[in-house]
Amino acid sequence: MGHGKETPRQKMIGMMYLFYTALMALNVSKDVLDSFIKINNSLNETNTNFISKNQIAYSAIEKAYLANPGKAQAIHDLSGILKQKADSLVAEMQYYKDTIIFYADKIDRSTCFMLPETGSTRLYVVNEEGDTVSLEAQCQSKDNLDIASQIMVGNDQGLSENCGGAKLKQSIINFREWVLGVAAQYGSDSTSITAKNINSSLNTNDAIGHEGGVQPWASAQFEHLPLMGAITVLTQWQSAVRNVEGDIVNLMYNQLDATSFKFNKLSPVILAPSTYIMQGNEYSSQIFLAAFDTTQALDVYVNGRKLPIDPASGLPVYKVNGGGIGAQKYNAVIKLPKPNSTDTLSYTISGEYQVAKPSLVVSPTKMNVFYIGPENPVEISVPGVPADKISASLTPSTHGSISKTSGGSYIVKVSRPGKCSIAVVADINGKKQNMGSVEFRIKTVPDPVAQVLGMNGGDIEKSRLQAAQTVDAKMKDFDFDLSFKVTSFTVSAQVGAYFLSETVKSNRINPQVKQNIFSKVSKGSKVYFEDIKAVGPDGKPRSLGVLKFVVK
């Protein structure tokens, strides 16, 4: 169109160029897109950091104004205008980012919304998982080569004066001229480093094209870029605005009274008397921002010892090994030089911490059992409460008793089968508080196993049988160290045509048994220990069954 008649060769070259351009449009390198995404994410994090850093200066100016309105009034008001202008320009850039994504992804306008609490004009949607995400994070058409150029540069007829790029350029110029005026007002004229940095960061000059011609700023910034590239360019401009904003707000703050304390960092602090409370008790804390200067180390002394500085936070750190059990108190002195003075300010404060023994509580809920007879040991503790502030009781009291031996150690004695509970009460800040109860089952101790020579029956040599001295009762697979004693038993055997039997009223195998039975048995004879009775700690007799031995 308007180029005159073309030769066949020129037509061929033109067709090849169109074909190549189409291929490029369809095959934007994934690596290139990934690079843009990484750079954009990094710039967004940088912008977040800029906002935090700038807020430190704004807060310091606000503090100076509240302390002395007359002296800080002008800077306070001007800093508010600076913040408004910077926020407005960043919001305009965000508008173009969201608009590009909105049209590229063909998003339904009714699904977009803002989050007023964030103080941003950024658009959000709800994704398929139900999460609220920004359009930037949800973008699907990252490789689109048309929409960004159409919105920011114009149509194929050339650069439009009403395109987004032209409007944004004018907004950047207006902001640049305003901050340069503020910089000059506070001693940074056009030759200063601050002014040079502003002109460099917010440079909107047209570029020189590949063939030597002038390329408009909007075209140089946004034309022939995939969508994600255009978004990254806009994010970079947001970063440039925040950077310049920081330079100006710090320049203004530095003009405040040189004797004022300087802060370069704000940290949120939650100060609570205790981070551990019981259910039903009240939790209280003080929440505030602490401002400090990481370039001016504090001299802090605890019990006369100067604290080292943590290189990560730039703050003194008090570390001490937990030695003695219980409440540990300490006193700290903070020394801070006065600005532009050799004098030192001193502040004192006291601290306290609790040292407790390491503890582990494992509760086998289906094995909570007390046994009748032996002493049942239990450990009782309440995290954060000293052992001497804890008391326990057993209910119903008719089933037994509980007594403390030392620290958190207790002994439970029970007397009848059934169920019982241990209830715990803790003294917390002078108030008795019920900590709940744990239920236990009460059982009788299982029967022991009868043994002769450590055997429960089986083949035995006659000589070894004659050497046996006692019939014993042993607990099998039972953790308590309990003692049972056999009180009686009967030994019997078939010897020839006669059935011989001897009853003993103790646990000892007496000479009569050995002479009347053991000496007369022969190979293959069966010897029985029957009616074995034993008594344990509960005093109740137990029948232990029958032992059968075969003489070999």
Side-chain angles (χ1 to χ4, degrees), residues 52-64 67 249-250 253-254 256-257 259-267 289-296 298 315 336-337 339 345 347:
S52 298
K53 289 176 63 178
N54 294 346
Q55 186 57 44
I56 293 173
Y58 283 123
S59 298
I61 292 174
E62 179 71 18
K63 181 179 179 181
V249 72
N250 281 289
Y253 175 65
N254 289 335
L256 290 172
D257 190 352
T259 61
S260 300
F261 287 104
K262 306 298 189 295
F263 307 105
N264 66 359
K265 187 172 184 178
L266 285 174
S267 289
L289 280 176
F292 56 94
D293 183 6
T294 58
T295 65
Q296 177 64 57
L298 297 175
L315 296 174
L336 179 66
L345 296 174
Y347 303 87

Side-chain angles (χ1 to χ4, degrees), residues 19 37 165 209 338 439 544:
F19 181 72
I37 293 171
K338 288 184 177 179
E439 185 179 77
L544 306 189

Side-chain angles (χ1 to χ4, degrees), residues 1 13 70 74 77-78 154 159 199 255 416 480 512 528:
M1 295 177 61
I13 292 174
D77 293 348
L78 193 58
L159 181 64
N199 282 317
Q255 298 302 311
R416 65 177 65 179
F480 285 87
Q512 289 85 351
Y528 297 91

